Amino acid sequence: MGTELLAGAPLVAARRLLGAELTGRGVSAVIVEVEAYGGPPDGPWPDAASHSFRGAGGRNLVMFGPPGYLYTYRSHGIHVCANVVCGHDGVAGAVLLRAASVCVGAEVAGARRGPAIRPAALARGPGNLCSALGITMEDNGIDLFDADSPVRLTLGDPLPAVDGPRVGVSKAADRRWRLWLADRAEVSAYRRSPRAPAPGASD
DNA sequence: AAGAGGATCATCT
DNA sequence: GATGATCCTCTTT
């Protein structure tokens, strides 16, 4: 199982990533919450909320490359967020990793996150997830299926998913492109962007 | 339990 | 000059 399973549409790849195991720098975690992101208006998956909506250039180049690579970006100046690139070479798509359940190396993750963090919160939220696994902007563009990479991904069998709108996006705010595993304490809370139009207004 | 606000800076207009 | 694919803390029910 490898990159060929991520070569399709973002929402399909997102489903595949639920339950997958992400290993980075002494910590392994099972992915329990993700969000799908598409590409430009003239591509197969137009998505105004995506970093790649306005075409390739700047930080988003990795999103236009082949699947199975890590796309990292900095959010609000401070936090690092991690995506798994999906689709195929030349067509932008990615899946944001929003929350994971730490199964190996909880002490290491705790040392990175701080002493008072409860186990379920170690990798809850995209910024916290990267912090727990030691993922930084230096990791942008690495191959997640290369045995020599510092961060690696192992896919498993598909699991049943719950869906809902994506967190914090002001565009396409009603699109149900967030997926998570039911009854998981690690899933982050939903917050609609204050800038998004009223629910149901448009997409 | 839920909502409001501020920190902070790379990227884009 | 404005805008966030966030997170933490403080205030209000």
Side-chain angles (χ1 to χ4, degrees), chain A residues 104-141:
Chain A
V104 176
E107 330 75 47
V108 179
R112 294 194 177 114
R113 291 277 288 117
I117 308 294
R118 300 212 326 276
L122 280 174
R124 168 161 53 204
N128 293 336
L129 187 154
C130 285
S131 173
L133 297 214
I135 296 172
T136 71
M137 287 302 296
E138 304 273 305
D139 297 319
N140 188 38

Side-chain angles (χ1 to χ4, degrees), chain A residues 11 15 18 34 160-166 174-182:
Chain A
L11 200 54
R15 250 176 205 288
L18 284 177
V34 297
V162 188
D163 66 83
R166 294 177 290 188
D174 295 330
R175 191 179 295 192
R176 302 176 73 83
W177 273 18
R178 181 164 67 115
L179 301 177
W180 64 92
L181 298 177

Side-chain angles (χ1 to χ4, degrees), chain A residues 1-2 6 17 19-31 68-70 82-84 97 100 103-104 129 133-135 139 142-155:
Chain A
M1 303 214 226
L6 302 175
L17 287 168
E21 186 166 316
L22 188 69
T23 299
R25 302 192 166 95
V27 177
S28 287
V30 175
I31 297 167
Y69 283 74
L70 184 69
N83 296 247
V84 177
L97 307 180
C103 54
V104 176
L129 187 154
L133 297 214
I135 296 172
D139 297 319
I142 67 172
D143 182 353
L144 290 168
F145 292 91
D146 182 340
D148 293 329
S149 290
V151 183
R152 291 190 313 283
L153 188 62
T154 307
L155 299 183

